[in-house]
Amino acid sequence: MSTNLPTLNDLHDIVVPEHVSAWPPAPAVWVLISMALAIGAFFVLRWLIRYRREAYRRAALAELERAPDLTAVAGILRRTALAVGPREEVVSQHGAAWCDWLARTSGCPVPDATRAALDAVYSGAGDDPEALRSYAREWITGHAAGGTDDA
């Protein structure tokens, strides 16, 4: 009886296919890379615009830390308000109306100590700027740009 079975000498080695290259990537990968770059550029541009738009806040806060007296703190607060609010509206405010404008644009009421400090600026009666400095810091960081809550 004769069988036609292959012998070990007739067998060939296992042929491994060639390695599939990762380059060039598939078109879908190019689309995903493009979308990721576009989304990343959008967020970087948005951050950059906001960073530049908020530069006056950083400058005012830095100057506020170096302000020596009540008059300097009040001046910084007024200049910061002029940077964002309508000039005619900000310049015309004084006394209780100025405090009300500050409260309206920041969303937080002006404490009595701050009102007294703002009055002392013009009367020369006060020498402790800390009450006004802390409110100015709070107003600068939290006010609504544009001068009103609707902005």
Side-chain angles (χ1 to χ4, degrees):
M1 168 161 131
S2 141
T3 62
N4 288 338
L5 293 175
T7 63
L8 288 178
N9 291 336
D10 294 336
L11 293 178
H12 301 287
D13 286 338
I14 296 175
V15 178
V16 179
E18 283 188 36
H19 178 70
V20 178
S21 173
W23 194 260
V29 173
W30 285 112
V31 170
L32 290 175
I33 291 172
S34 300
M35 286 174 47
L37 287 175
I39 290 170
F42 170 77
F43 283 112
V44 166
L45 184 62
R46 192 170 140 187
W47 174 83
L48 183 62
I49 289 170
R50 182 179 180 126
Y51 181 80
R52 295 178 97 188
R53 187 178 58 221
E54 302 291 325
Y56 76 95
R57 289 184 202 252
R58 290 188 305 278
L61 289 171
E63 193 173 341
L64 186 65
E65 295 306 316
R66 295 187 307 266
D69 59 0
L70 209 56
T71 307
V73 173
I76 293 166
L77 187 59
R78 180 72 70 158
R79 285 195 319 268
T80 306
L82 283 170
V84 295
R87 184 170 187 82
E88 299 78 23
E89 185 178 333
V90 173
V91 171
S92 66
Q93 305 294 329
H94 61 280
W98 171 237
C99 291
D100 293 341
W101 187 87
L102 288 171
R104 188 175 70 247
T105 56
S106 71
C108 60
V110 179
D112 291 336
T114 304
R115 286 183 187 270
L118 282 171
D119 289 339
V121 169
Y122 301 107
S123 67
D127 61 348
D128 182 23
E130 288 311 311
L132 183 57
R133 187 187 314 266
S134 66
Y135 182 79
R137 187 178 302 111
E138 183 180 340
W139 187 86
I140 290 169
T141 57
H143 72 274
T148 62
D149 290 330
D150 300 332

